[in-house]
Every structure is written in structure tokens, then in C-alpha cells.
């Protein structure tokens, strides 16, 4: 039987012959994503906190479920059906990732658990962080051959907005093994949404052709970041951009390749993906391995709807009504 590493007592594991996940009820969090290497060793490819209180103390969102609204809402407010909704502002005048008490800060119930699946559930009351309607939410993790999948579902009793994602940071060399500047990234996106210094989109969808933001043919992250700075399109000192993924339906959003040839493919049914290269890591965050996370220790690849969609009529809608069900699936495959 596969031996599982020592972990916190609140965690649970999904284990197959080639993949194993460690999950936490706090934030419905993906704490470890371990893959079996050709030499028989296991490699953890996502960042996580060594100490559980750090998940709430540093606002890094490592592997946590983000909601009700992933990314940013300008001025921490939006109008829906003629009613203005004032939200918890936790980044200046902006709401980021659902507010101070967003879904990442909740302890979720375990509604189903098998050897290969865990489903977490949460009731978000009317007025939670300022959002209207009672929202019933589930997050289901399951193992797949060569990877894993996460599926989100939500229903509401009143019109509201929903945008759920997982905030995992990946390092294909292994968690705590240095910068991801030497990783190559492909993003299947012909456009991105430019943003101001507050990271709120301007409303434009800009063609990537001829710019540092063109990842369609693949770019090394280190040189691409330098190019973004030189071009004047860098955010948060590098990449923190919402890319508009080509096509519709369930499709490959991006492909990340580590220096040893390990490949992570991310597929989803969402219209966009946020690429954030983790420039805020400063060595003070201690990972699950006991090693510190220095600058750009991992890259976040968050499948999502556009930031600030509730205030941007030209963006795809994120409105959920009582007769509808929100569903979203993201798949991580390692080769």
C-alpha cells in the first residue's frame, strides 16, 4: 500500500498509483498535488503552507477555493436588477477574491468521500460579504488517470453573481525548489484584458499579437516577464493578467512545461484564465516541505470569468438566478 507523508490531522488524501492529493476542509484547499516520477519518487507540484494558521494569516490563497467572486470587483460594489450591492472591501476600495471572509476563509463540510473523490459543501447566507441571495455551493475533487479534476456547483434563492476558482500555485520542479522563471508557458489566448494600476480591467480586450503577452507559441516565464516590464504592460512587477481563452466549451487553456520536461495541461470550460507569477513571495512563507518560498516560487493559473464582470456589461455575464445552476470544471493533467 502506498505510504502517505505525515500531514496535519485535519487533512484527507486521495491516492492512486500515479497521483495523490492532500485536501483540507479549511477553504476546500488543495494542499499537495503529488505525482509519481519515472524513478519511483513522488514530487509535489503545488505550493502549500507548512502551518495551517498561515493559510488565513497571509492572504496568499495557496490552493484555496475562491468565491463568491474570484479576482476583483471595482469599488467593492455592483448593481444588479437596479439594486446596488456594497461588498466587503479588502484591497483598498476593491473587493478581492470574495472579501476578507470569502470562501477561502471557511471550513467546508465534507458531503461525500470515497477513495478517489472528496466533495465539500458550503452554505453562503444572504448578505455574505455583501452579496445577495443564499448560495448553496459544492466543490468536488476527483482523481483521473494522470491527474485530477475539480468541479464547482452552486444554486441561489436570489439573483447574485458567482465566479469560483482554485488558487493553486504550480512549480513543476517541485514545491520549494526555486523560481518558475525557467518554466515555459503556452496560453491559448488571442486576447487579454488590460488593467490599471489597481488591476481593474479597462473594459478593452486587447489583441496579444506582436506583444509580450502572446503566449500562443510558448514563452519562458523569466524572459517574458522582462519583456512585459520593458513594454510597459507588467502588473504586480510581472504577469498578473486575465487572458481570454480562444474557443468555447471544455478545452485546453494552457500548458506549462518544467525544465526537466514535466508538462501540466489545464483544461476548463471557463472563458478566461488568470496568470500570476507570484512576485509577492519574499522568503517568509514556509512551505509544506519546510523550505521558504522566494520570489516567483510558483505560478498561479486560475480558470475563471473576467475580473469586474458585474460592472462591465461587455464582459461575459456572471449573474446566477434562482432557476439556474452554476457549474464549472477544471482538469489538471500531468505528463
Amino acid at each position: 500500500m502506498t505510504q502517505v507523508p505525515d500531514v496535519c490531522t485535519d487533512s484527507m488524501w486521495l491516492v492512486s498509483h500515479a497521483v495523490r492529493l492532500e485536501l483540507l476542509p479549511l477553504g476546500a484547499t488543495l494542499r499537495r498535488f503529488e505525482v509519481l516520477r519515472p524513478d519511483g519518487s513522488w514530487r509535489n507540484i503545488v505550493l502549500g503552507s507548512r502551518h495551517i494558521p498561515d493559510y488565513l494569516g497571509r492572504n496568499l490563497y495557496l490552493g484555496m477555493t475562491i468565491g463568491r467572486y474570484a479576482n476583483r470587483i471595482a469599488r467593492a460594489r455592483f448593481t444588479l436588477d437596479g439594486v446596488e450591492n456594497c461588498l466587503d472591501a479588502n484591497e483598498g476600495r476593491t473587493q478581492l477574491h470574495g472579501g476578507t471572509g470569502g470562501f477561502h476563509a471557511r471550513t467546508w463540510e465534507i458531503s461525500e468521500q470515497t477513495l478517489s473523490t472528496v466533495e465539500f459543501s458550503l452554505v453562503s447566507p444572504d448578505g455574505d460579504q455583501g452579496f445577495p441571495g443564499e448560495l448553496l455551493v459544492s466543490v468536488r475533487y476527483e482523481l483521473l488517470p494522470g491527474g485530477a479534476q475539480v468541479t464547482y456547483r452552486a444554486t441561489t434563492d436570489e439573483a447574485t453573481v458567482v465566479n469560483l476558482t482554485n488558487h493553486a500555485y504550480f512549480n513543476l520542479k517541485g514545491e520549494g525548489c526555486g523560481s518558475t522563471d525557467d518554466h515555459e508557458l503556452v496560453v491559448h489566448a488571442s486576447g487579454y484584458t488590460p488593467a490599471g494600476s489597481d488591476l481593474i480591467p479597462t473594459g478593452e480586450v486587447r489583441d496579444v499579437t506582436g506583444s509580450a503577452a502572446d503566449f500562443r507559441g510558448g514563452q519562458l516565464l523569466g524572459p517574458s516577464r522582462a519583456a512585459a516590464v520593458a513594454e510597459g504592460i507588467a502588473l504586480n512587477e510581472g504577469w498578473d493578467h486575465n487572458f481570454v481563452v480562444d474557443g468555447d466549451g471544455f478545452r485546453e487553456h494552457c500548458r506549462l512545461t518544467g525544465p526537466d520536461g514535466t508538462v501540466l495541461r489545464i483544461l476548463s470550460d471557463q472563458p478566461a484564465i488568470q496568470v500570476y507569477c507570484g512576485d509577492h513571495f519574499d522568503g517568509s512563507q514556509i512551505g509544506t516541505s519546510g523550505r521558504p518560498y522566494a520570489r516567483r516560487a510558483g505560478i498561479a493559473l486560475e480558470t475563471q470569468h473576467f475580473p469586474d464582470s458585474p460592472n462591465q456589461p461587455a464582459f461575459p455575464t456572471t449573474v446566477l438566478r434562482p432557476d439556474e445552476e452554476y457549474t464549472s470544471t477544471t482538469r489538471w493533467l500531468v505528463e
Side-chain angles (χ1 to χ4, degrees):
M1 181 176 179
T2 302
Q3 183 178 1
V4 172
D6 292 335
V7 294
C8 67
T9 56
D10 291 334
S11 70
M12 62 208 67
W13 283 84
L14 304 181
V15 178
S16 73
H17 69 283
V19 178
R20 54 194 192 188
L21 307 183
E22 184 192 7
L23 305 169
L24 297 174
L26 174 63
T29 296
L30 173 61
R31 190 176 187 225
R32 282 186 174 96
F33 188 142
E34 299 189 347
V35 294
L36 185 64
R37 306 306 302 153
D39 65 1
S41 65
W42 290 89
R43 179 184 296 175
N44 176 24
I45 60 170
V46 299
L47 276 55
S49 289
R50 185 179 190 183
H51 304 295
I52 302 306
D54 286 348
Y55 278 98
L56 296 179
R58 295 173 181 253
N59 293 328
L60 298 176
Y61 307 103
L62 302 180
M64 305 183 92
T65 294
I66 305 299
R68 283 189 195 191
Y69 200 95
N71 219 301
R72 291 170 173 85
I73 297 179
R75 300 178 299 110
R77 63 189 61 207
F78 66 95
T79 299
L80 178 59
D81 296 339
V83 177
E84 184 177 63
N85 298 274
C86 297
L87 310 177
D88 172 54
N90 60 329
E91 188 184 65
R93 297 174 62 235
T94 298
Q95 184 182 90
L96 171 65
H97 292 331
T100 305
F103 291 176
H104 68 284
R106 312 295 172 81
T107 298
W108 295 57
E109 296 292 328
I110 301 170
S111 52
E112 180 184 341
Q113 184 174 5
T114 70
L115 294 176
S116 60
T117 301
V118 169
E119 182 170 297
F120 297 103
S121 61
L122 180 72
V123 178
S124 175
D126 180 31
D128 190 0
Q129 308 299 295
F131 290 97
E134 181 181 80
L135 196 74
L136 307 182
V137 193
S138 69
V139 178
R140 181 183 181 89
Y141 291 96
E142 56 189 305
L143 296 179
L144 300 174
Q149 180 169 286
V150 58
T151 301
Y152 308 92
R153 296 185 182 276
T155 57
T156 182
D157 64 356
E158 183 181 340
T160 191
V161 295
V162 181
N163 183 25
L164 305 179
T165 194
N166 183 283
H167 207 298
Y169 290 86
F170 295 93
N171 187 324
L172 299 184
K173 293 182 294 189
E175 173 270 337
C177 290
S179 167
T180 55
D181 280 352
D182 54 3
H183 286 46
E184 182 184 69
L185 178 66
V186 174
V187 183
H188 303 297
S190 300
Y192 72 101
T193 53
S197 59
D198 57 2
L199 279 80
I200 299 298
T202 63
E204 175 190 2
V205 176
R206 182 177 298 173
D207 190 345
V208 302
T209 303
S211 77
D214 191 348
F215 283 90
R216 291 172 294 182
Q219 295 192 65
L220 285 174
L221 289 175
S224 74
R225 174 187 168 276
V229 171
E231 197 173 298
I233 63 170
L235 296 169
N236 269 342
E237 303 180 70
W239 295 113
D240 196 357
H241 293 61
N242 174 63
F243 287 86
V244 180
V245 179
D246 298 338
D248 296 297
F250 194 78
R251 63 211 185 277
E252 185 175 279
H253 278 40
C254 69
R255 186 183 303 120
L256 184 68
T257 303
D260 69 350
T262 301
V263 176
L264 170 70
R265 298 173 58 223
I266 298 182
L267 300 87
S268 181
D269 50 16
Q270 292 295 280
I273 187 168
Q274 186 83 9
V275 175
Y276 174 50
C277 286
D279 282 273
H280 65 313
F281 292 114
D282 60 7
S284 64
Q285 174 72 35
I286 305 302
T288 50
S289 62
R291 294 186 290 263
Y293 292 156
R295 197 175 185 189
R296 297 189 289 279
I299 178 171
L301 299 166
E302 306 157 61
T303 57
Q304 62 176 12
H305 267 266
F306 298 7
D308 200 36
S309 284
N311 294 310
Q312 305 266 4
F315 287 177
T317 184
T318 55
V319 174
L320 180 69
R321 298 190 180 276
D323 59 346
E324 300 170 340
E325 182 183 40
Y326 171 96
T327 62
S328 172
T329 298
T330 293
R331 187 174 295 169
W332 304 296
L333 298 176
V334 182
E335 300 171 355

